[in-house]
Amino acid sequence: MSLVEKKQFRIAILDLYEGVPNQGMRCIREIINQFSDFNNLEISWDEFDVRQKNEVPDLSYDIFISSGGPGSPLDSEGSEWEKVYFTWLHTIEKWNANEANIQKKYVFFICHSFQLACRHYNIGNVCQRKSTSFGVFPVHLLKDGKREIVFEEMKDPFYAVDSRDFQVIEPKHNTLHQLGATILAIEKERPHVQLERAIMAVRFNEYMIGTQFHPEADAVGMSMHLQTEDKKKTVIENYGHDKWSSMIEQLNDPDKIVYTYEHILPNFLQIAVQSLQPVEI
């Protein structure tokens, strides 16, 4: 569905990759550009290097996408960049809580940012996994996830790119209830493994949502990237040839990563943009 109203929107991309080469930032940019073109919208975006330069956006932006990134979401506690990041988050919370601000600020947290947000809101146990999760995996929707508009038209399970050494488990249901937050999705079922399934998506409040997985992962670009000589060698050395072959196969399946890429972040942007259309006061 195309949007009729014409307005310029400003999006801030918070880069948490700490200068590490990645595909995530490219994918986020491409989704924004494709969404802008498809809906005939004037959208501008700026990037902020959070971890290397302590950069965060101001409140002149309408929509915020906070990226994944390397390293531990625990070891950064108390660091200067994290203080700046959480101060930014508090300004967004304060803006949205003010009834005088009719047009709210929308935030999407991805992977590392999601883990930080879960720690910030204290909704579960953020901890290290026993082994790295890397590949294309099924994500299972819970009851609230099936009603979540950002996940509209998503299958159960749907498939997503997962790349992490940390996880959020053991949800604190009293805290979730107090916040008005809901768990939307959890990781694949592993009946042969006696471990709690990790939280994969949370709606923190009416304007903020996050995923542990990478909804921005572009199947074509990721597939090409994985088939470069250096990246193929790295994946095979770390995870084996079967894992590499499986990822290439699933990335090229139109019902898996392509479908996730075309729906989740675009749905988020659609919801945000529709709410930001000009209003009469």
Side-chain angles (χ1 to χ4, degrees):
M1 179 177 68
S2 293
L3 300 165
V4 177
E5 295 278 2
K6 181 83 172 177
K7 174 184 181 289
Q8 180 170 2
F9 300 93
R10 302 187 72 209
I11 299 179
I13 307 172
L14 288 84
D15 177 0
L16 271 70
Y17 278 102
E18 204 171 19
V20 174
N22 65 89
Q23 294 292 304
M25 293 296 290
R26 174 189 63 79
C27 292
I28 292 170
R29 295 182 205 112
E30 289 186 359
I31 285 177
I32 294 172
N33 291 336
Q34 290 165 4
F35 179 82
S36 174
D37 292 343
F38 179 78
N39 290 290
N40 189 33
L41 289 170
E42 194 176 336
I43 294 180
S44 63
W45 48 265
D46 294 302
E47 298 176 15
F48 297 84
D49 189 339
V50 179
R51 294 171 71 173
Q52 292 190 122
K53 299 180 181 178
N54 295 343
E55 293 178 346
V56 289
D58 59 29
L59 290 171
S60 66
Y61 293 88
D62 304 300
I63 301 166
F64 305 84
I65 299 175
S66 190
S67 80
S72 167
L74 304 174
D75 291 349
S76 59
E77 187 170 5
S79 66
E80 189 59 33
W81 75 260
E82 191 180 272
K83 290 177 186 175
V84 171
Y85 183 78
F86 284 143
T87 298
W88 160 77
L89 185 52
H90 282 302
T91 65
I92 301 296
E93 293 167 350
K94 187 176 179 180
W95 173 278
N96 286 341
N98 187 341
E99 292 183 1
N101 296 324
I102 297 172
Q103 296 190 330
K104 306 301 184 180
K105 308 294 182 180
Y106 285 76
V107 184
F108 199 109
F109 302 97
I110 298 171
C111 196
H112 195 98
S113 295
F114 170 79
Q115 295 163 356
L116 292 175
C118 288
R119 177 157 65 79
H120 171 72
Y121 290 113
N122 192 31
I123 66 161
N125 177 19
V126 181
C127 59
Q128 188 162 7
R129 289 175 52 87
K130 289 186 178 296
S131 61
T132 300
S133 177
F134 178 76
V136 176
F137 298 108
V139 177
H140 293 270
L141 290 170
L142 299 182
K143 181 175 66 175
D144 288 309
K146 293 176 181 178
R147 294 196 293 254
E148 170 58 53
I149 193 166
V150 169
F151 289 159
E152 188 175 16
E153 297 185 25
M154 296 304 295
K155 301 165 186 175
D156 184 27
F158 62 88
Y159 286 80
V161 169
D162 197 19
S163 177
R164 60 193 166 95
D165 292 309
F166 290 81
Q167 62 184 352
V168 184
I169 56 173
E170 300 166 0
K172 299 180 181 180
H173 295 288
N174 287 339
T175 303
L176 286 160
H177 179 72
Q178 290 167 7
L179 289 169
T182 52
I183 298 173
L184 305 175
I186 55 178
E187 70 180 336
K188 64 177 182 177
E189 188 169 7
R190 297 174 295 172
H192 58 289
V193 180
Q194 296 301 310
L195 294 173
E196 185 165 350
R197 294 157 76 184
I199 299 169
M200 297 301 285
V202 170
R203 174 160 286 286
F204 296 97
N205 53 54
E206 187 176 354
Y207 311 107
M208 299 181 183
I209 188 170
T211 62
Q212 175 64 84
F213 58 86
H214 288 269
E216 81 281 17
D218 162 27
V220 175
M222 290 282 293
S223 179
M224 290 174 63
H225 177 64
L226 284 172
Q227 292 180 75
T228 61
E229 187 176 342
D230 288 347
K231 190 60 180 178
K232 178 178 179 180
K233 181 180 178 183
T234 300
V235 172
I236 291 173
E237 285 178 351
N238 286 283
Y239 305 104
H241 194 278
D242 287 347
K243 170 65 73 175
W244 179 85
S245 296
S246 171
M247 286 194 72
I248 296 299
E249 179 182 347
Q250 295 190 78
L251 283 168
N252 292 319
D253 186 333
D255 291 329
K256 292 184 176 176
I257 300 309
V258 174
Y259 196 85
T260 300
Y261 174 87
E262 291 176 346
H263 285 79
I264 293 180
L265 268 179
N267 283 350
F268 166 75
L269 292 173
Q270 184 100 336
I271 294 160
V273 162
Q274 285 179 327
S275 77
L276 293 166
Q277 296 298 327
V279 295
E280 293 184 10
I281 301 176

